[in-house]
Amino acid sequence: MNHIDPVVSPKWLLARMYEPDLVIVDCRFALGSPEEGKHSYLASHIPGAVFLDVEQDLSAPVGPHGGRHPLPDPQELAARLGRTGIGHDTRVVAYDDQGGLYAARLWWMLRWLGHDQAYVMDGGFAAWQAGGFPVTDAQRTLVPAAFVPNVRSGMLADVNEVRRTLGDPGVLLVDSRDASRYAGEQEPIDAKAGHIPGAVNRFWKGVLDDQGAWLAEPALRERLAPVIRALDDGREAIVYCGSGVSACPNVLALHRLGYPQAKLYAGSWSDWISYSENPIATGEE
């Protein structure tokens, strides 16, 4: 991975954690237990880290459409990030305790707003603790910064664009949920089971090894081979999941491999099924 790798090691962060242009963001979150991430942060976190909640800070309120974690208004998101000390020249390192699931969402959102100096810490808080690195319960004093968004609309796909891709051989849809949800065998969260017709399945956890660390490049290429082939052939790739969060590790993995053009369908499955006319597929493709 010869370009700047957006995934950094705990040791990399340890060496830079007190540099003034760095903001560390704790993104811990537990689906179904919305207070747990904040409680974990208040109990113990990387020194200097600020906390951003996936639902309260990094999503808009849920409406009839837009999915379970709708993207916030770019200006509102930029203002919120600015209040936590993230400005144009800030390097941001995000971590969580879910293999980078929520940290990758923040990485994607920063890039969507035009901010490239965004990173995800490999292995999350568990790897930091396993390294014997310092933790604290002290709160960082927030010094607001100016963050003016420069939105990259091309990173995003909406429901209309996804509808237009159905049956289009020039576009590959990538479903990032686990195989049983993709196949429609079970659906523990959303109102309808199945997947968007034509999508291939690449469960997001496949970009990690058994210890929860990011795969090295050869294994990552093998894991995402169908998507890479499509992109190498000049096709588009649109990645989705349940609510636009767990698709982000797949988007990040493709970015690491030199394919930053993969788009995120931010509303994802929970948005797709909010339109009764949208078709649903089950089983394997």
Side-chain angles (χ1 to χ4, degrees), residues 33-280:
S33 183
E35 298 297 317
E36 191 174 313
K38 184 68 180 278
H39 290 159
S40 298
Y41 166 78
L42 291 172
S44 177
H45 53 261
I46 296 176
V50 299
F51 181 77
L52 286 174
D53 185 271
V54 168
E55 289 190 342
Q56 301 300 317
D57 300 312
L58 303 180
S59 302
V62 175
H65 303 296
R68 283 182 281 107
H69 294 112
L71 279 185
D73 173 80
Q75 298 291 342
E76 290 177 14
L77 177 60
R80 192 169 295 142
L81 295 171
R83 287 195 294 273
T84 64
I86 297 171
H88 287 290
D89 300 321
T90 310
R91 289 176 298 161
V92 182
V93 180
Y95 71 90
D96 58 35
D97 56 2
Q98 297 284 335
L101 171 59
Y102 300 108
R105 163 84 167 198
L106 178 59
W107 167 86
W108 184 91
M109 295 176 94
L110 285 161
R111 290 198 66 252
W112 175 55
L113 295 184
H115 191 90
D116 283 324
Q117 295 203 76
Y119 305 89
V120 170
M121 189 183 77
D122 198 4
F125 193 60
W128 182 267
Q129 289 177 300
F133 301 152
V135 297
T136 185
D137 61 358
Q139 303 289 303
R140 174 179 177 140
T141 302
L142 299 182
V143 181
F147 192 125
V148 180
N150 180 20
V151 177
R152 294 169 167 146
S153 55
M155 289 177 55
L156 187 61
D158 64 10
V159 66
N160 293 318
E161 182 172 351
V162 176
R163 281 176 182 147
R164 287 195 297 270
T165 69
L166 296 181
D168 182 348
V171 183
L172 180 66
L173 292 171
V174 183
D175 187 312
S176 305
R177 298 170 302 160
D178 74 57
S180 64
R181 288 181 68 197
Y182 164 82
E185 292 162 4
Q186 59 146 345
E187 182 45 70
I189 303 170
D190 292 311
K192 297 176 185 175
H195 60 265
I196 301 173
V200 299
N201 183 222
R202 280 295 176 273
F203 185 32
W204 74 271
K205 282 189 178 176
V207 303
L208 306 173
D209 67 18
D210 293 339
Q211 281 71 51
W214 284 78
L215 294 176
E217 181 171 356
L220 213 48
R221 284 190 174 277
E222 187 179 332
R223 170 70 191 161
L224 294 168
V227 193
I228 289 169
R229 275 197 302 272
L231 291 166
D232 283 343
D233 288 343
R235 297 165 68 193
E236 275 190 55
I238 298 175
V239 188
Y240 76 93
C241 56
S243 69
V245 176
S246 66
C248 292
N250 274 338
V251 176
L252 174 53
L254 289 163
H255 184 94
R256 295 186 77 198
L257 295 171
Y259 300 92
Q261 69 268 43
K263 292 183 179 183
L264 174 71
Y265 173 22
S268 284
W269 180 248
S270 52
D271 176 58
W272 183 257
I273 61 171
S274 71
Y275 299 90
S276 58
E277 69 272 24
N278 282 348
I280 291 173

